[in-house]
Amino acid sequence: MITEFYQSSIGKMAHDFLCARVKTLLACGASTKTLIVGYAAPFIEDVRNITGGEVMAVEAAQMPLPYGDVTFDNVVVLHVLEFAPDLPRVMSELQRVLVSDGRLVAITPNRNGIWQWFEHIPWGEGRSFSAAQMRHLLAGAQLAPVGVVTALFAPPLDFSRHEVLRGLARGLESTGNYLLPSCGGVLIAAAQKQRYAGIGVESAARKPYVNLQWAAANGTSLGTT
């Protein structure tokens, strides 16, 4: 289950590396409001410390989102888009609750990354996305892409057993976007809300077999694909 993953050494490594990436992408300040959509438990306190503002969380199954229009300065979404049965609807909801010029940070499996090859991790299930597909998806929801980077360059193995291995994992993470920018295990797409009219989007993301243990952990009702 997804909770057990984040309690494992691999999950803790992933959590730390993702937080390091996300902290540079969010609007900050005591008055900011941030919504985390998906499996938020390991990240709520980190996002609160990063932004210095109010943080709320909602499960992926709660669509439409139970918040009014233009409510949040930041929306962080993870373990959601790869399982969503109706991507345009989800993207529309994420855009709706953002304030003008608000930030969306979406974390998804990377089509070119090695993490999608492993079934014992969340990003090994559901759809995978390329950077171009994420930009297209964002643009279709009236969200202007600010940047798409990758993270989790070390393979999903236990690097915690020795300091040398931990150093290796940190080294791969710090240099990955310079040496192999398309090969991280996940995509982190940042986008800003825009006022212009969007276009309809049909995602071209690949749809492999979905393991329901990850989807069920988010409260999402899905069939296999």
Side-chain angles (χ1 to χ4, degrees):
M1 297 295 291
I2 196 167
T3 301
E4 296 170 347
F5 168 77
Y6 279 107
Q7 292 173 346
S8 70
S9 60
I10 299 172
K12 291 175 181 176
M13 177 185 73
H15 164 271
D16 291 346
F17 290 161
L18 290 176
C19 287
R21 295 282 186 191
V22 167
K23 71 179 181 181
T24 65
L25 303 174
L26 299 175
C28 299
S31 63
T32 59
K33 292 185 177 181
T34 301
L35 176 66
I36 304 177
V37 183
Y39 188 73
F43 298 95
I44 291 176
E45 193 61 33
D46 299 281
V47 173
R48 185 177 290 117
N49 291 335
I50 290 168
T51 63
E54 184 178 3
V55 179
M56 301 179 187
V58 64
E59 293 183 354
Q62 292 184 254
M63 292 288 171
L65 294 171
Y67 302 102
D69 297 353
V70 295
T71 301
F72 296 97
D73 302 281
N74 302 302
V75 173
V76 180
V77 56
L78 73 163
H79 303 306
V80 174
L81 300 184
E82 58 265 43
F83 298 118
D86 189 344
L87 269 176
R89 177 177 178 239
V90 172
M91 295 302 298
S92 177
E93 279 297 290
L94 298 174
Q95 189 267 7
R96 178 184 66 80
V97 299
L98 276 171
V99 301
S100 178
D101 298 328
R103 282 288 183 96
L104 173 73
V105 176
I107 302 172
T108 64
N110 178 18
R111 171 169 289 190
N112 297 319
I114 64 171
W115 283 57
Q116 67 163 330
W117 301 345
F118 295 83
E119 295 184 354
H120 66 289
I121 58 174
W123 294 289
E125 305 296 339
R127 299 179 182 91
S128 58
F129 297 81
S130 69
Q133 288 164 354
M134 280 305 302
R135 292 189 183 96
H136 186 59
L137 186 66
L138 293 167
Q142 303 179 47
L143 295 163
V146 175
V148 180
V149 299
T150 54
L152 306 187
F153 291 90
L157 305 173
D158 186 359
F159 286 83
S160 66
R161 300 177 183 179
H162 195 280
E163 180 58 34
V164 172
L165 294 177
R166 292 193 292 271
L168 175 61
R170 291 191 295 268
L172 289 172
E173 191 66 18
S174 63
T175 61
N177 262 309
Y178 300 100
L179 300 177
L180 297 168
S182 65
C183 295
V186 301
L187 292 177
I188 302 177
Q192 195 165 30
K193 185 172 181 177
Q194 298 292 293
R195 294 189 179 93
Y196 57 77
I199 57 175
V201 172
E202 290 295 333
S203 174
R206 181 169 54 194
K207 297 182 180 181
Y209 175 79
V210 174
N211 185 331
L212 293 185
Q213 67 171 324
W214 302 116
N218 290 328
T220 307
S221 177
L222 295 175
T224 57
T225 60

